[in-house]
Amino acid sequence: MASVEAKVEPAVTGMGYELVDVQASNGGRMLRVFIDKPGGGITVDDCAAVSRQLTRVLPVEGVDFERLEVSSPGLDRPLRKAGDFSRFAGQKAEVRMRTPDATGRRKFVGVLRGSEDGRVQVELDGSPDGQQVALALDDIERARLIPEL
C-alpha cells in the first residue's frame, strides 16, 4: 500500500490537497483515497477533480484498479503524521497503541496537545489534574479525532 500511496500523494498535493489515507480492498481492485485541504471542508467538486486526475495518473504509474473512490476523511478523521497531531491540537482524539504501557493500557482518549520529537502529547480525559502522556508516534496503531457535536 505504501507504493500506491507514494504514487497518489504527489498528484493530490500538486492539486493543493492533503492526502489523508489510501485504502485498498477486494485484492487491490478497489482504491479509496481520503483527501483534505488546509482550512478543511472538502466538497463533491474537490473529490471529482481529484478522481479525474487520479484516473489518468494511476494507470501511467502502473497501479491496476477497477474502482476508485475519493472522499473527505469525515468528522472522525484519522491522524497519521506528526503534523496531524499538531494541526489538530486542542481537539479530542482516541489513540490506540500497538504495545501497552507499563500499566497494560493501549487506548488513550483525551485532548491533543501537539507533537514533538516523535512523541504525541495527549491530556487524558477524566484526569482531575490534567495528566498528560507522551506517546511514541511510531508505536501508534491508529488514531482518530472524536467529533464533538
Side-chain angles (χ1 to χ4, degrees), residues 118-135:
R119 302 194 75 69
V120 174
Q121 303 291 328
V122 179
E123 183 178 324
L124 297 177
D125 267 7
S127 175
D129 59 353
Q131 178 189 5
Q132 287 192 30
V133 293
L135 306 171

Side-chain angles (χ1 to χ4, degrees), residues 18-29:
E18 173 193 359
L19 179 64
V20 176
D21 199 8
V22 177
Q23 299 173 350
S25 61
N26 194 19
R29 306 304 304 154

